[in-house]
Amino acid sequence: MLERRTSERRPFRKARRALERIEVLGAKVDLVRPEEVMHHVEAAVDAARPYLVANHNLHSLYLLRRTPNLAAFFDDADLIEVDSTPVITFTRALGLQSRPFHRCTYLDWRDHFWSVANRKAWRVYYLGGAPGVAQAAAAQLNSSYPETQIRVRHGYFDASPGSAENAEILADIAAFAPHILFVGMGMPRQEQWVMGNRASLPPCAVFSVGAAFDYEAGVQKAAPRWMGRAGFEWLYRLAHDPVRLWRRYCFEPWFMIAPALRDVGRAFAAGRLLKTPASRPSGRDRRAHLVSEPVPVQGRLNLAENGAQPAPAAELKKAVVAEGPQSRFVDRQKA
């Protein structure tokens, strides 16, 4: 079993902040690191409250304007990861507060997730994949993380509202009472299923994760993580599955030109195009700023289009400032 708690940790922010939610290519996303995702999810699970984690990439941005109810899914999400290095690179060109480590997807945080799930004996339900695939993935994961309870159901069922199969799955999920629900039926089916059935789900953290268990079962081979960080994961996937993915990677991105030009125009008008965001203030100035300015708490952020205005007062709290500048970060040994 991989024991990540013995490895060196990077500090990360514990509180949500206004500048982490931005709008790019016509959609809102959160600039969060994988460690932050796990921190917020763990807090939600400990509090037994519903929590929805979504993710945007170029494929989802293409589908957003062409799929009924997909926008509602992202509007309802508590956290929206950026699963695309090209999108991160583009936001940096727009002069926004993004960094390469803000690329965030299941493959980036899966070791952290399963380590926490094992330590806390979480119940994890996976809905998706072809018959037999999820079972094989669960067997692999249970051998490495034996304290985690995993239940799976393949994604080949009648998902229409009111169908007998859908009702059976909802009853099975309710009986299992998972801490985590992974829905991996591909975009946009998985998002539509979540939105159509969320009111019937128990209070848990819900993720749309695509082919996550296909990777765990070895049915699909994940690209080396350096390729994801370098922005070439799409090329690796296209080379391994060209028939299924050629349209996604060779055709759909052209439809992002118009929203990209709109973003460039706004950035130019704001004087931030191709400019690095202002450098961080000194430790003393930063602590003084934190004392006087509220910081958003966990949960959905209701920000203006440029992502620079704070959330409503009801969602804010004063920052707790200790002696050292690292007081805003999670203790490395306790995380």
Side-chain angles (χ1 to χ4, degrees):
M1 178 176 61
L2 178 63
E3 183 47 74
R4 64 178 301 279
R5 301 187 79 193
T6 61
S7 60
E8 184 180 357
R9 307 296 182 81
R10 299 181 302 180
F12 59 90
R13 297 179 185 271
K14 298 174 66 176
R16 302 295 298 271
R17 55 204 184 279
L19 287 178
E20 80 179 30
R21 177 152 289 190
I22 63 171
E23 182 168 348
V24 60
L25 299 173
K28 289 182 172 61
V29 296
D30 293 317
L31 299 176
V32 290
R33 295 165 62 152
E35 297 92 342
E36 294 175 88
V37 174
M38 288 299 99
H39 170 73
H40 297 314
V41 167
E42 190 173 354
V45 170
D46 288 346
R49 58 184 172 86
Y51 200 78
L52 178 58
V53 181
N55 66 86
H56 261 315
N57 53 34
L58 286 174
H59 181 51
S60 66
L61 292 169
Y62 169 81
L63 293 172
L64 192 61
R65 299 164 182 81
R66 296 165 175 81
T67 307
N69 302 326
L70 190 58
F73 171 84
F74 288 100
D75 289 342
D76 205 42
D78 296 279
L79 195 66
I80 307 173
E81 304 170 316
V82 184
D83 177 16
S84 172
T85 296
V87 172
I88 290 292
T89 302
F90 181 60
T91 61
R92 287 180 63 79
L94 297 177
L96 299 174
Q97 300 282 344
S98 59
R99 296 292 184 271
F101 53 64
H102 287 137
R103 182 188 185 277
C104 193
T105 184
Y106 173 81
L107 292 174
D108 297 317
W109 47 252
R110 66 175 178 176
D111 290 338
H112 187 173
F113 171 84
W114 290 109
S115 176
V116 173
N118 188 73
R119 175 161 47 90
K120 295 204 164 190
W122 279 353
R123 295 182 298 276
V124 179
Y125 196 109
Y126 182 87
L127 175 62
V133 172
Q135 287 85 347
Q140 291 280 353
L141 289 165
N142 274 138
S143 67
S144 298
Y145 305 98
E147 301 303 317
T148 308
Q149 303 173 58
I150 304 175
R151 184 176 295 187
V152 301
R153 174 63 159 80
H154 67 75
Y156 288 74
F157 65 96
D158 181 0
S160 58
S163 74
E165 284 185 299
N166 197 63
E168 177 188 343
I169 288 171
L170 290 173
D172 191 47
I173 293 172
F176 188 60
H179 299 97
I180 304 293
L181 172 61
F182 285 147
V183 184
M185 298 188 291
M187 289 182 174
R189 186 170 183 251
Q190 59 194 13
E191 289 80 11
Q192 291 174 320
W193 186 89
V194 171
M195 283 306 297
N197 297 279
R198 196 174 183 204
S200 302
L201 296 175
C204 60
V206 180
F207 290 79
S208 57
V209 292
F213 270 34
D214 284 16
Y215 294 119
E216 300 295 357
V219 174
Q220 291 191 40
K221 187 176 181 181
R225 299 322 301 146
W226 70 264
M227 294 190 75
R229 292 188 294 270
F232 296 119
E233 185 169 359
W234 68 272
L235 188 59
Y236 179 94
R237 297 188 66 195
L238 180 62
H240 282 77
D241 195 355
V243 174
R244 185 174 67 90
L245 297 175
W246 77 267
R247 179 182 174 88
R248 178 183 302 187
Y249 293 129
C250 300
F251 177 75
E252 293 178 4
W254 293 100
F255 288 85
M256 292 295 102
I257 292 177
L261 290 176
R262 285 194 290 270
D263 284 347
V264 169
R266 293 190 189 106
F268 179 79
R272 52 180 168 81
L273 184 65
L274 301 178
K275 292 184 179 179
T276 302
S279 59
R280 295 180 180 179
S282 66
R284 178 179 300 177
D285 292 341
R286 184 164 60 246
R287 290 193 293 274
H289 171 75
L290 288 173
V291 170
S292 61
E293 293 292 332
V295 175
V297 296
Q298 297 170 7
R300 290 186 292 275
L301 303 179
N302 182 17
L303 305 181
E305 189 176 64
N306 63 7
Q309 297 183 14
E315 297 184 15
L316 301 178
K317 68 177 181 179
K318 292 290 185 179
V320 179
V321 183
E323 293 293 328
Q326 65 270 47
S327 60
R328 296 181 67 202
F329 298 111
V330 173
D331 187 300
R332 292 186 177 191
Q333 300 302 319
K334 296 180 180 179

